[in-house]
Amino acid sequence: RRAFTRPGAGPRLRSSGPSASIALRPPLGLESLVEEAAAAAAASAGFRLTAVRREPAVRLQHGVSGLEPLAWSEDHRVSVSTARSIAVLEQLSDVHGGGQEMVIHRTAVPAPAAACLLKVGPKKEVAECKEKFANSMDPTVSQTFMLDRVFNPEGKSLPPMRGFKYSSWSPLGCDANGRCLLAALTMDNRLTIHANLNRLQWVQLVDLTEIYGERLYEASYRLTKADAPRGELEDFSEFQRRHSMQTPVRMEWSGICTTQQVKHNNECRDVGSVLLAVLFENSNIAVWQFQLPFLGKESITSCNTIESGISSPSVLSWWEYEHNNRKMSGLIVGSAFGPVKILPVNLKAVKGYFTLRQPVVLWQEMDQLPVHSIKCIPLYHPYQKCSCSLVVAARGSYVFWCLLLISKAGLNVHNSHVTGLHSLPIVSMTADKQNGTVYTCSNDGKVRQLIPIFTDVALKFEHQLIKLSEVFGSVRTHGIAVSPCGAYLAVITTEGMTNGLHPVNKSYQVQFVTLKTFEEAAAQLLESSVQNLFRQVDLTDLVRWKILKDKHIPQFLQEALDKKIESCGSAYFWRFKLFLLRILYQSMQKAPSEVVWKPSHEDAKILISDSPGMGSTEDDQEEGTSKQASKQSLCDTGKGMDVDDTADDSLPQPSDIGGREPMEEKLLEIQAQIEAVEMHLTREHMKRVLGEVYLHTWITENTSIPTRGVCDFLMSDDGYDDRTARVLIGHILKKMNKQTFPEHCSLCKEILPFTDRKQAVCSNGHIWLRCFLTYQSCQSLVYRRCLLHDSIARHPTPEDPEWIKRLLQGPCTFCDSPVF
């Protein structure tokens, strides 16, 4: 049953419940019922989803904890809140391996060893008050104090509070590497922000609970100076109030916004910033503003506290709306009693942002249905020809939706509920923000897909059931999350009932289900507005899986990609072509006959037989040589070397039986195509680097970029006829006159010639790898590497000009992945 509101304008709230919608529906005859059923069946058939299991399933070391324990970041990392840590699973689209399983890099954010004690006053006074309340003759005070885990996080007679309550990912581009930050809330109410700077270890950047407690202590636990002074800490109600005003319930990140910073010479420059809203038990909201990239406590710009006025707040979400190039923002807050409303947020010094004049109530009934999760999805209204916001909230076993639309008459609000989805309460909800599809799940292993369909008035939902028991067997579900581009659904599962009996032991697993077909993923990659392979890893992984299974690139994809390259020539499509060729190359290689990590006992016997004083036959020596060579080949492949370096080791030998010659020729042909595409991408990036050199250098300035070598390298190939490059090189050489600025080897001071785009070799044989962003030789022990180990880049130095530092912030020119 669906409910829709009557058309109308104006800022007033218009709502109708399911019963009202049935009363407004006209009586239908038999023919009308048949036509409606046929139309509904045709519509649902158009959205039919085939869920396929995707290996591997990742087993968790500890049980999950908190509400909404699963979250998927924009840079393709899945966080799972558990009783001891936050498990982080990073999805990679590996171009150097031939395995068909998903490639997952696993790290963890450990829970703090010490319990979090909120700062409610001086330590000595707090200890005396705790002793007083614990030994109080009034049982309402003593029992409330002893059983409240906010007051007693260490436990003592109760089990200690371990694990995480909630985690939230920031937008892409917030940490020092341009990736996502992780805000983590522990069960004992410690709110911290973490960053993964070296890919192996998570670093805590700031403890917001400690900073906020210090701010409240300095302000005497008053939000404004005009507030009347409160009671003393010895009063139990005041003791409770000071704890509730700094006990976080949820936290959510806003999108990246731009602020203006005044420099010393009174010039203004734009600086990126991000907001983190923290909802507390007493219904207050602290809005933190951080300058990007976020490095720690020094990056905190401001912290403002808003009073929401909602009793028993349970969840919040950001509302960000763009109308006529004007951006509006607000915070959507839900209550454990049922109401939902949007609060205005005034953003100081933020360019182009506006807010509401007063709060807007989306649902006001105190119907005792707790709001468990809220998602806000920006969409485009095809009938009104403007942008709109779809707010979806899980309330018990129902889904509350609200469509927000700004017209000339003001803010239009249409809302209703979708019923009949689950027989049990919804435990998790996630949304694909690209097309507005919403997924809900209950504990019994059933997932619902809700697809919004716009009507003249508001919208309706087509929904269908995904039975995970048909994919994984009998399971119970504890959380779901959809990937950034909507290709996968991650699910936390445990064993379900077997023969009517519950399992004795439960093991928590994160499993993956496909939501798109290969054809849909390929079409989305070809028509992408993002044009970045790294930001679409879930889609490229579906394409990778298909090519590795079929061992060929589908014809329609090849033809469509070639047309794109001919029509626009964007570097993105060249990188996509390189990706496809690399995967095709891996699919045709012969699989290794032994496990790479497994020690070989035969090698030890060969070493004994080859040792001095021991006889060995010619056959044994040949066998030992072949085994050592195969082992060396496997080790080289396992180190993550470039495809060009490992190609010769993994080619089938011509002496193999039956049709190996054509396969070898095919591999050599693909390898030549890979080299040609890589060379094209290298030349295009060289042109960009030379353009920056021409714009930003004087005649006699040494730019630390081998300008003359890059020019000579581009001009050395007679087959490369690019008029733009030749004109640019002519201008640069005229500007440089006869100055060359050659690079010198740091070991022997010999000149490093620019003959290879990947490495530099001096006359004495010293080899240095080249930075793929500036083409300078990396002659230091420390350098950076891209996520897929395609290439390396040097670290920026303090003496580098701004334009070189900007170049060094770029992603890999071959795979779009960030550089660490």
Side-chain angles (χ1 to χ4, degrees), residues 520-578:
E520 291 172 335
Q524 194 168 335
L525 285 167
L526 288 172
E527 301 299 329
S528 170
S529 59
V530 178
Q531 298 212 342
N532 185 294
L533 291 176
F534 169 71
R535 296 184 64 177
Q536 304 174 94
V537 163
D538 50 344
L539 297 176
T540 59
D541 186 74
L542 275 178
V543 174
R544 170 182 172 272
W545 187 26
K546 174 74 172 178
I547 295 175
L548 288 175
K549 283 195 302 184
D550 297 348
K551 298 187 183 302
H552 76 277
I553 303 173
Q555 188 67 27
F556 83 92
L557 180 56
Q558 281 186 343
E559 294 175 354
L561 186 57
D562 290 340
K563 287 181 180 178
K564 289 285 185 181
I565 291 175
E566 289 177 7
S567 60
C568 66
S570 171
Y572 164 74
F573 296 112
W574 283 94
R575 288 192 292 270
F576 189 22
K577 183 176 182 179
L578 175 64

Side-chain angles (χ1 to χ4, degrees), residues 268-501:
C268 291
R269 72 183 184 107
D270 291 342
V271 178
S273 63
V274 69
L275 304 172
L276 178 66
V278 184
L279 178 65
F280 294 103
E281 266 189 3
N282 69 338
S283 78
N284 289 346
I285 301 173
V287 180
W288 297 84
Q289 186 173 10
F290 305 130
Q291 183 176 325
L292 300 180
F294 184 77
L295 303 175
K297 192 174 181 179
E298 63 275 11
S299 299
I300 298 176
T301 305
S302 64
C303 177
N304 299 314
T305 303
I306 305 171
E307 296 185 47
S308 68
I310 286 188
S311 58
S312 296
S314 58
V315 65
L316 86 162
S317 178
W318 279 94
W319 175 62
E320 293 174 323
Y321 185 90
E322 189 168 354
H323 175 68
N324 292 338
N325 296 324
R326 297 181 60 175
K327 298 178 181 178
M328 299 188 69
S329 65
L331 282 168
I332 310 169
V333 184
S335 169
F337 296 146
V340 182
K341 71 177 181 179
I342 302 180
L343 301 175
V345 179
N346 292 310
L347 304 180
K348 297 179 180 179
V350 178
K351 291 178 60 179
Y353 270 79
F354 301 86
T355 189
L356 301 169
R357 293 180 181 176
Q358 58 187 4
V360 176
V361 178
L362 304 183
W363 184 259
Q364 59 185 357
E365 299 295 332
M366 301 281 285
D367 48 17
Q368 306 300 316
L369 286 177
V371 183
H372 172 261
S373 177
I374 295 178
K375 303 295 178 186
C376 184
I377 309 164
L379 295 175
Y380 181 79
H381 202 299
Y383 297 102
Q384 303 292 336
K385 306 296 182 184
C386 65
S387 58
C388 59
S389 293
L390 174 63
V391 178
V392 185
R395 301 179 70 244
S397 58
Y398 311 118
V399 171
F400 167 77
W401 64 265
C402 183
L403 187 67
L404 301 171
L405 186 70
I406 294 180
S407 66
K408 294 180 180 179
L411 178 64
N412 293 315
V413 179
H414 304 271
N415 66 358
S416 186
H417 282 78
V418 183
T419 60
L421 296 176
H422 298 277
S423 57
L424 294 175
I426 296 171
V427 297
S428 184
M429 182 176 68
T430 183
D432 180 3
K433 293 191 176 182
Q434 292 196 338
N435 55 18
T437 306
V438 179
Y439 299 88
T440 61
C441 84
S442 55
N443 202 243
D444 55 1
K446 294 179 181 178
V447 177
R448 283 278 181 179
Q449 181 193 40
L450 286 82
I451 302 171
I453 300 174
F454 284 97
T455 63
D456 294 337
V457 179
L459 54 81
K460 63 180 180 178
F461 284 95
E462 289 289 342
H463 55 86
Q464 58 179 319
L465 178 65
I466 305 172
K467 289 186 178 181
L468 295 180
S469 58
E470 298 176 356
V471 183
F472 304 126
S474 177
V475 293
R476 296 173 68 87
T477 50
H478 303 272
I480 57 174
V482 68
S483 62
C485 297
Y488 288 116
L489 184 74
V491 190
I492 301 177
T493 63
T494 53
E495 294 85 350
M497 296 180 67
T498 305
N499 298 326
L501 299 174

Side-chain angles (χ1 to χ4, degrees), residues 30-42:
L30 182 61
E31 296 178 359
S32 302
L33 285 171
V34 171
E35 291 176 1
E36 185 180 284

Side-chain angles (χ1 to χ4, degrees), residues 627-654:
K627 286 182 179 178
Q628 289 174 357
S630 64
K631 185 179 179 183
Q632 181 66 31
S633 171
L634 290 172
C635 290
D636 291 344
T637 307
K639 288 178 183 176
M641 297 173 63
D642 289 341
V643 177
D644 299 340
D645 300 330
T646 59
D648 297 335
D649 293 336
S650 52
L651 288 177
Q653 298 299 321

Side-chain angles (χ1 to χ4, degrees), residues 699-768:
I699 298 173
T700 58
E701 183 183 1
N702 187 356
T703 65
S704 78
I705 289 179
T707 308
R708 176 77 68 170
V710 172
C711 292
D712 292 343
F713 182 82
L714 283 176
M715 300 290 288
S716 61
D717 189 359
D718 296 333
Y720 178 62
D721 187 15
D722 189 331
R723 187 175 180 274
T724 306
R726 293 186 180 277
V727 171
L728 178 62
I729 290 171
H731 286 305
I732 288 176
L733 295 181
K734 188 183 296 183
K735 194 174 185 180
M736 290 181 68
N737 201 358
K738 295 182 180 180
Q739 300 175 85
T740 58
F741 301 119
E743 286 188 288
H744 293 275
C745 177
S746 61
L747 294 179
C748 61
K749 308 304 178 185
E750 290 292 327
I751 292 178
L752 289 174
F754 199 110
T755 56
D756 190 357
R757 58 188 172 89
K758 289 186 176 180
Q759 63 184 16
V761 184
C762 76
S763 58
N764 291 327
H766 299 134
I767 301 176
W768 307 102

Side-chain angles (χ1 to χ4, degrees), residues 138-156:
D138 186 355
T140 59
V141 174
S142 60
Q143 292 185 18
T144 303
F145 173 80
M146 294 300 295
L147 295 177
D148 196 314
R149 301 314 304 270
V150 177
F151 304 151
N152 300 292
E154 295 172 330
K156 295 182 180 179

